[in-house]
């Protein structure tokens, strides 16, 4: 009798674990990447570590982040990285690995954010739109000369900007692009739109591939520097692509911050007490990111393990620091607290959890990733 009781308890626990794994494997996995800054050092460090862990767990060096997540969202420099991770290279595989995207941003940063002087005495400076256009066109153009569009992605992609024509946010999405050519845009133009930071770039005008929809865009970070809330809302209401999602309990969200947008040099106040433009923009970007994090923390209050926020906490915001720093989570009624695990360990725990639930790619990919972007084409 005692043996039968022990056996029953063992099988009961095994059944519970199996049911939990089944629930885990059915969750829709959301990846969100913040904007802010020009280097994406924090974002790239987290993503390279994430992809390395996926490859280590699966034993598949061709495994990519797009193989694991069901939707990816990004703003500003985060949108550039997101697009590199999910754009179709023409063979049904992602255009770049996480490491390839990181190397691309580092290698082409001087061209993406090339400073030029203007004004009567050339005392004012901003970034060159032409230089960024040239780099983005090259990156998101296939070998056959065709531009990659929003429809040409391995997984759904969300990228926000702010439209000055309508005075409202405008979210570029693969779902809308698939429904109508009037909402399908060349991907390089979408990245250009979400990167048009006021005072550093002129507003950017773009039109859909059929010319029926136009937008006068400025930086998406002004309204959605942390696009996680937009991604979650999109999944909850997009029944065509995500029919099984009924609430946040069906989601697993990884949100990656990009460090603070405010540096000591931009926090100085003028004698009148007014902040500089750069300081105001930095406050807006950080304020939006932290507000969204607080909102999502409350939304996942009863299932906090389903919402992971990776953000740098040190003043340096360097790639070498972000993975060794202890993670921070928002409290339900305001404020933050340090968690025991470092950001690197939290990423490893997430991948281990996906591995146990059979949510990682199980077999080697047929097509090897191609990233001919670093040296140009």
């Amino acid at each position: 009798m005692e043996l039968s009781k022990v056996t029953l308890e063992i099988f009961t626990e095994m059944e519970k674990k199996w049911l939990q794994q089944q629930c885990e494997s059915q969750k829709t996995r959301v990846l969100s990447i913040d904007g802010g800054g020009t280097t994406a050092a924090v974002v790239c460090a987290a993503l390279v570590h994430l992809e390395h862990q996926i490859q280590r767990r699966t034993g598949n060096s061709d495994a990519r982040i797009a193989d694991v997540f069901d939707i990816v969202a990004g703003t500003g420099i985060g949108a550039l990285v997101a697009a590199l991770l999910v754009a179709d290279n023409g063979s049904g595989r992602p255009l770049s690995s996480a490491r390839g995207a990181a190397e691309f941003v580092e290698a082409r940063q001087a061209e993406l954010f090339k400073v030029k002087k203007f004004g009567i005495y050339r005392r004012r400076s901003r970034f060159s739109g032409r230089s960024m256009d040239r780099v983005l066109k090259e990156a998101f153009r296939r070998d056959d000369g065709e531009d990659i569009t929003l429809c040409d992605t391995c997984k759904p992609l969300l990228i926000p900007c702010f439209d000055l024509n309508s005075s409202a946010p405008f979210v570029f999405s693969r779902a809308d692009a698939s429904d109508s050519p009037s909402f399908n845009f060349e991907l390089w133009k979408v990245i250009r739109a979400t990167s048009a930071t006021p005072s550093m770039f002129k507003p950017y005008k773009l039109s859909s591939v059929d010319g029926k929809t136009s937008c006068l865009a400025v930086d998406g970070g002004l309204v959605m520097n942390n696009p996680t809330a937009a991604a979650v809302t999109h999944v909850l209401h997009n029944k065509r692509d995500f029919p099984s999602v009924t609430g946040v309990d069906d989601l697993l969200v990884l949100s990656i911050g990009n460090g603070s947008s405010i540096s000591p040099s931009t926090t100085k106040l003028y004698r009148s007490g007014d902040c500089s433009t750069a300081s105001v923009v930095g406050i807006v970007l950080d304020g939006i990111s932290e507000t969204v994090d607080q909102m999502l923390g409350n939304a996942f209050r009863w299932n906090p393990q389903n919402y992971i926020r990776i953000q740098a906490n040190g003043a340096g915001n360097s790639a070498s620091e972000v993975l060794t720093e202890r993670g921070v989570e928002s409290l339900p009624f305001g404020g933050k607290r340090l968690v025991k695990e470092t950001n690197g360990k939290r990423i490893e725990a997430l991948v281990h959890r996906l591995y146990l639930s059979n949510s990682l790619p199980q077999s080697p990919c047929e097509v090897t990733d191609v990233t001919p972007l670093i040296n140009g084409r």
Side-chain angles (χ1 to χ4, degrees), residues 34-43 77 225 256-267 278-290 309-319 321-322 325:
D34 280 19
T38 61
T39 65
V42 172
V43 162
I77 191 72
N225 194 53
I256 302 180
N258 201 26
S260 175
S261 299
I262 305 175
S263 64
S265 61
T266 61
T267 56
S279 180
V280 171
V281 171
I283 292 171
V284 170
L285 298 182
D286 284 359
I288 290 172
S289 291
E290 295 305 318
R309 172 71 170 170
I310 304 297
Q311 176 66 300
N313 305 310
N317 292 329
S318 69
E321 294 172 340
V322 63
E325 288 179 343

Side-chain angles (χ1 to χ4, degrees), residues 29-285:
R29 297 174 290 279
V30 179
L31 173 63
S32 176
I33 307 172
D34 280 19
T38 61
T39 65
V42 172
V43 162
C44 289
L47 290 173
V48 169
H49 187 61
L50 171 65
E51 192 168 83
H52 174 71
Q53 292 301 312
I54 293 171
Q55 294 170 348
R56 188 177 70 84
R57 283 288 180 183
T58 60
N60 178 10
S61 61
D62 286 333
R64 298 290 178 253
I65 287 174
D67 297 326
V68 176
F69 289 88
D70 301 299
I71 182 172
V72 180
T75 301
I77 191 72
L80 170 58
V81 175
L84 289 170
L85 295 180
V86 301
D88 191 331
N89 68 359
S91 302
R93 294 295 297 148
L95 189 65
S96 178
S97 64
R99 185 170 297 280
E103 291 174 349
F104 173 81
V105 173
E106 181 180 5
R108 310 300 291 272
Q109 183 185 4
E111 297 172 81
L112 286 166
F113 302 100
K114 182 180 179 180
V115 177
K116 71 173 185 177
K117 300 290 184 179
F118 69 100
I120 298 177
Y121 300 105
R122 294 188 174 275
R123 293 179 178 176
R124 302 177 64 187
S125 62
R126 63 176 170 226
F127 296 132
S128 169
R130 289 184 179 180
S131 182
M132 176 175 274
D133 289 351
R134 184 172 58 255
V135 176
L136 294 179
K137 285 180 184 179
E138 177 186 313
F140 294 100
R141 181 172 292 165
R142 292 205 182 95
D143 292 334
D144 60 6
E146 292 294 322
D147 288 327
I148 300 174
T149 70
L150 275 172
C151 285
D152 305 322
T153 56
C154 300
K155 292 292 177 70
L157 177 66
L158 287 181
I159 296 176
C161 73
F162 186 82
D163 181 17
L164 295 178
N165 288 334
S166 62
S167 298
F170 190 103
V171 180
F172 302 96
S173 76
R174 192 184 76 170
D176 292 333
S178 300
D179 285 340
S180 170
S182 297
F183 292 99
N184 190 22
F185 295 79
E186 287 92 345
L187 200 50
W188 76 265
K189 293 181 180 179
V190 173
I191 307 304
R192 182 70 174 79
T194 192
S195 303
T197 305
S199 79
M200 299 312 297
F201 283 108
K202 292 181 179 179
Y204 183 72
K205 186 175 182 179
L206 70 161
S207 299
S208 57
V209 293
D210 65 0
K212 293 184 178 180
T213 303
S214 62
C215 176
L216 184 60
V218 293
D219 189 358
L222 297 179
V223 287
M224 296 183 201
N225 194 53
N226 178 349
T228 311
V232 169
T233 303
H234 179 84
V235 172
L236 291 176
H237 292 87
N238 184 355
K239 295 302 180 183
R240 185 189 66 182
D241 295 333
F242 308 102
S244 63
V245 176
T246 59
V248 295
D249 290 342
D250 298 319
L251 303 179
L252 178 61
V253 179
L254 175 61
S255 175
I256 302 180
N258 201 26
S260 175
S261 299
I262 305 175
S263 64
S265 61
T266 61
T267 56
K268 293 182 179 179
L269 298 178
Y270 293 121
R271 291 183 179 180
S272 62
D274 296 328
C275 291
S276 66
T277 301
S279 180
V280 171
V281 171
I283 292 171
V284 170
L285 298 182

Side-chain angles (χ1 to χ4, degrees), residues 321-334:
E321 294 172 340
V322 63
L323 297 177
T324 57
E325 288 179 343
R326 289 172 62 187
V328 173
E329 62 181 11
S330 295
L331 298 174
F333 302 104

Side-chain angles (χ1 to χ4, degrees), residues 334-350:
K336 291 180 175 294
R337 69 180 175 190
L338 286 171
V339 297
K340 294 181 180 179
E341 300 83 8
T342 64
N343 284 322
K345 292 297 182 183
R346 296 175 79 200
I347 291 173
E348 292 168 17
L350 170 63

